[in-house]
Amino acid sequence: MDDRELIKRIMEEVKDEKLREELLALVVEKNKKREEERPIDYLARQEILGGATEGVSKVGWWIMYIISIVFILVGSLGPLGLLGYFLTPAEERDRNAWVFIFFFSILFMIGIAWFFTLRSGKKEYERFKHKSVN
């Protein structure tokens, strides 16, 4: 039941004038306490969540950054395998090597794309943070 309904119900059901004034005063006092606590509580919660969210985001960004570098390093075996495939004589080439070359090349491309996406996202974040400070 919200405060408007409570006030309406008090006005309708309570016949004693003095009791009605006391109940309405209690409702007003309760609203004042609630309004006084709300902004402080809201700002404190916002600050805590903002700090925690930024910290978690930084940790997540670094983890993804490291994983993208691992993808690039492991995936670099694909282009190296392709180079090795063409440098070996035709009689000694393994026909199944294409599967591994393809797999590692895909890892390499995903790692490169992921790396540059993270870098551009970080630059956008820094630009946005700089605009919000000014």
Side-chain angles (χ1 to χ4, degrees):
M1 174 182 299
D2 67 342
D3 294 332
R4 288 183 184 178
E5 291 176 10
L6 183 61
I7 291 172
K8 187 177 179 182
R9 190 168 175 195
I10 289 172
M11 295 300 283
E12 290 174 356
E13 294 182 10
V14 178
K15 302 298 180 195
D16 185 22
E17 192 71 31
K18 199 171 196 177
L19 181 60
R20 185 185 304 168
E21 287 178 11
E22 288 177 14
L23 289 173
L24 292 174
L26 286 173
V27 171
V28 169
E29 186 177 318
K30 183 180 84 170
N31 283 340
K32 282 184 181 178
K33 283 183 181 178
R34 196 181 304 160
E35 287 178 8
E36 288 173 358
E37 292 173 0
R38 189 178 303 152
I40 295 170
D41 189 26
Y42 175 74
L43 291 175
R45 208 175 311 147
Q46 195 75 357
E47 188 174 329
I48 290 169
L49 288 176
T53 304
E54 189 172 348
V56 169
S57 296
K58 284 181 181 179
V59 169
W61 187 87
W62 277 106
I63 289 171
M64 290 190 307
Y65 193 71
I66 291 169
I67 290 173
S68 70
I69 291 174
V70 168
F71 268 44
I72 291 171
L73 292 176
V74 171
S76 65
L77 295 173
L80 290 175
L82 188 63
L83 180 65
Y85 184 81
F86 287 120
L87 290 179
T88 57
E91 303 86 37
E92 297 176 15
R93 289 184 187 163
D94 184 16
R95 294 189 185 257
N96 297 331
W98 281 104
V99 175
F100 295 108
I101 292 170
F102 181 74
F103 174 73
F104 285 116
S105 297
I106 294 294
L107 277 181
F108 183 72
M109 289 185 276
I110 290 172
I112 291 288
W114 199 358
F115 180 79
F116 285 115
T117 301
L118 288 171
R119 296 276 307 225
S120 66
K122 184 177 180 186
K123 288 179 184 177
E124 279 295 318
Y125 172 74
E126 290 171 353
R127 207 173 312 147
F128 174 73
K129 193 172 181 181
H130 181 68
K131 281 183 182 179
S132 64
V133 169
N134 291 335

